[in-house]
Amino acid sequence: MEIVTKTSDFDNLATNRVIINGENNVQMTNSSIQFEGSGNRLFLDNNARLNKTRLKFHGNNSCICVRATKNGKVSISAGIYSNSILFFGEDCTFNGVLNLVLSEHHNVVIGADCMFSFNCWIRNADAHLIYNVEDLERSNVSKDILLGDHVWIGQNCTILKGAYVGSGAILGLGSIVAGRVPSNTILAGNPGKVVRSGVFWTRTPTHGFDVEASDASMVYQGDPSKYLFSGNPNVGLFQQELAQYSASAPQYQENAPVERILKRLIAIGPLVVTVGQRLSKIHKPHRFFWQGARA
């Protein structure tokens, strides 16, 4: 077992690696990284500030990639098992600690500019087996989770296996998400249901608004195009890249193949999910990127 509690420990790892994108200016406060297996990779931005972050690699050949956040802060509690990828696009933010569990060689891919509120959970497996009495077949197969760019994840949300959340979506407070959420919609409730479509959101905080500011906010002033996500559904492209990683993960003892997969995932662009979209039956997925990364 290899344990990292301070940045100087990065250079002491023998069978796992922490890779920094540029000069190592990473800070760790009340944080730790634990490797129980081998062949695992953690990719971090050079200015990442890990605060109350707990990362546990319980198996082998898995990757966690956290690109540059909007404010440098990273607050994640993640347990990841073998042959899985946890990926965060750039400019994400965490108001509280985001909790994740990645099991059974499946993955979680999160796009750019996602905003996580307090006490959110993401799990891609049920952790225990369930079978049908009639045919003895397993009924709770683990699945990948994909969140697009610019998704607002409200307080106390839980995102479960097989969730595909389109870019620009809003997940309301306390939502349970386990299916497809079209882009630029609002989902709420348990089980989560789409309650509005054709919406977009901005990061402008309203807490300190006076009457004038509230009045001025009633009509959006500006070009909303950067918040609108439409086009052909591209979930299948993400699935193909992730499947390629999962099939080859045991061979990724060097960084270069991992970085190539990350770059391809990023190049796909925002996740577009539409109503009635047919998804491919590819079973395994994964993704990554890094430029000028070094140990």
Side-chain angles (χ1 to χ4, degrees), residues 143 158-165 175-181 187 191-192:
K143 299 177 182 178
T158 300
I159 301 172
L160 301 176
K161 60 181 185 176
Y164 299 132
V165 181
S175 297
I176 306 294
V177 187
R180 285 174 287 167
V181 182
L187 177 137

Side-chain angles (χ1 to χ4, degrees), residues 46-65:
N46 62 325
N47 291 315
R49 294 186 290 109
L50 277 58
N51 182 34
K52 298 180 180 178
T53 288
R54 299 283 188 271
L55 305 178
K56 292 186 178 181
F57 291 81
H58 295 287
N60 306 314
N61 303 309
S62 284
C63 297
I64 296 177
C65 176

Side-chain angles (χ1 to χ4, degrees), residues 170-239:
I170 301 168
L171 308 182
L173 183 149
S175 297
I176 306 294
V177 187
R180 285 174 287 167
V181 182
S183 303
N184 292 110
T185 62
I186 301 176
L187 177 137
N190 179 12
K193 295 181 179 180
V194 174
V195 295
R196 279 189 70 184
S197 59
V199 300
F200 68 93
W201 64 276
T202 76
R203 284 179 172 267
T204 305
T206 61
H207 298 300
F209 273 18
D210 57 18
V211 174
E212 290 184 356
S214 293
D215 290 343
S217 71
M218 290 302 121
V219 177
Y220 182 73
Q221 304 294 324
D223 180 3
S225 60
K226 67 178 180 179
Y227 301 124
L228 305 180
F229 302 90
S230 61
N232 295 324
N234 57 1
V235 173
L237 297 176
F238 285 96
Q239 291 177 310

